[in-house]
Amino acid sequence: MAELRVLNKEKKSSTVQDSAALTTQLAAGLEKIGLAMKSRTWRREGRAGLGPLQRQVLTLLQSKPEQRARVSTVANELAVRLPTASEVIATLERKQLVRRRHDMTDRRVVVAQLTAKGNRACTPTSRMPDRLATATEALSEPEQVVLLTSLVKMIRSLQEQGEISATRMCVSCQFFRPNQHASSDRPHHCDYLKASFGDSSLRLNCQVYEPATT
Ligand code: SF4
């Protein structure tokens, strides 16, 4: 009996170790993808290209009314410091993708607005690094759904830790009604679009997103 208890204890400890090893492996894998994306992007596009944060700023501005937002709003929504947001916007302005203006109602406030060139730079093909798209296409559709739902969970967790913005995602949107329908394919509901949808359609970058109040 004592032997069985020892065996069970060892088995439990090995399961815990396996799961810890898996977590470490996953974190390492994600880190590698992050590094690859960054280095590929920078290497391919060079100084004239767009870095990940620059892309995020353009995408954020595109989603705003009149494609404009205060610099402080950009900083808040992308969970970066104000000087970082100001610096990125200044770089985008030098590339003529964004223009900066003082707010008409409060001259102390600086507003960034997308230019026509900036708008063109936001097309899905220019936003998605080619190699990342190719890697994603290597997954089967069920694998893509699992990856998407897992990413949503991870991004949500990072947002709760204050490390990343979860804006423009269904899970933090006031119109999102999770698991409202009996259908296993399309259990969620969007009050804005008045449509049901499944995990594979959870949005990470919705243009009509409104933050939930709670
Ligand atoms: S408005 Fe967009 S982000 Fe919000 S629930 Fe609907 S699809 Fe999702």
Side-chain angles (χ1 to χ4, degrees):
M1 195 64 185
E3 212 170 87
L4 187 63
R5 269 202 301 273
V6 170
L7 275 176
N8 280 342
K9 201 172 166 188
E10 279 177 0
K11 197 172 164 191
K12 199 172 169 189
S13 150
S14 143
T15 310
V16 170
Q17 277 171 9
D18 285 352
S19 121
L22 186 57
T23 311
T24 309
Q25 290 280 73
L26 284 169
L30 287 169
E31 199 170 39
K32 274 189 193 298
I33 291 174
L35 280 173
M37 274 182 67
K38 202 166 178 181
S39 61
R40 292 273 182 205
T41 304
W42 284 110
R43 256 188 281 151
R44 188 177 65 246
E45 298 183 346
R47 287 170 63 86
L50 295 173
L53 187 53
Q54 292 176 12
R55 287 175 195 278
Q56 285 182 43
V57 171
L58 293 181
T59 308
L60 174 67
L61 291 177
Q62 195 187 39
S63 71
K64 296 291 181 190
E66 297 178 37
Q67 301 189 328
R68 49 186 277 155
R70 292 179 171 197
V71 177
S72 55
T73 303
V74 172
N76 283 340
E77 295 206 10
L78 296 181
V80 296
R81 291 168 55 241
L82 189 57
T84 306
S86 301
E87 196 180 311
V88 172
I89 287 168
T91 305
L92 290 170
E93 189 174 42
R94 284 197 292 279
K95 293 178 179 178
Q96 301 177 333
L97 300 171
V98 157
R99 73 175 69 87
R100 281 180 297 180
R101 294 277 182 277
H102 286 287
D103 195 330
M104 301 296 275
T105 56
D106 184 348
R107 302 288 299 166
R108 293 166 302 176
V109 173
V110 178
V111 171
Q113 185 171 28
L114 213 58
T115 61
K117 187 178 170 188
N119 199 27
R120 285 195 298 277
C122 286
T123 58
T125 44
S126 63
R127 275 207 308 261
M128 171 82 90
D130 291 347
R131 287 166 199 275
L132 191 58
T134 306
T136 309
E137 282 162 11
L139 301 175
S140 66
E141 200 179 323
E143 286 172 335
Q144 288 180 3
V145 173
V146 170
L147 179 60
L148 176 61
T149 47
S150 305
L151 281 175
V152 167
K153 270 191 188 172
M154 290 185 68
I155 291 170
R156 190 77 177 128
S157 168
L158 286 167
Q159 189 259 342
E160 283 164 5
Q161 294 172 60
E163 294 294 329
I164 198 171
S165 164
T167 54
R168 302 193 306 284
M169 290 171 53
C170 288
V171 290
S172 59
C173 175
Q174 63 168 273
F175 301 119
F176 185 52
R177 302 285 174 268
N179 301 313
Q180 289 290 294
H181 302 286
S183 158
S184 57
D185 284 350
R186 306 166 72 88
H188 314 308
H189 191 86
C190 171
D191 278 353
Y192 183 91
L193 301 172
K194 300 191 184 345
S196 60
F197 60 98
D199 286 347
S200 62
S201 300
L202 280 170
R203 293 190 183 178
L204 291 173
N205 192 19
C206 178
Q207 301 295 309
V208 289
Y209 163 92
E210 287 292 336
T213 46
T214 52

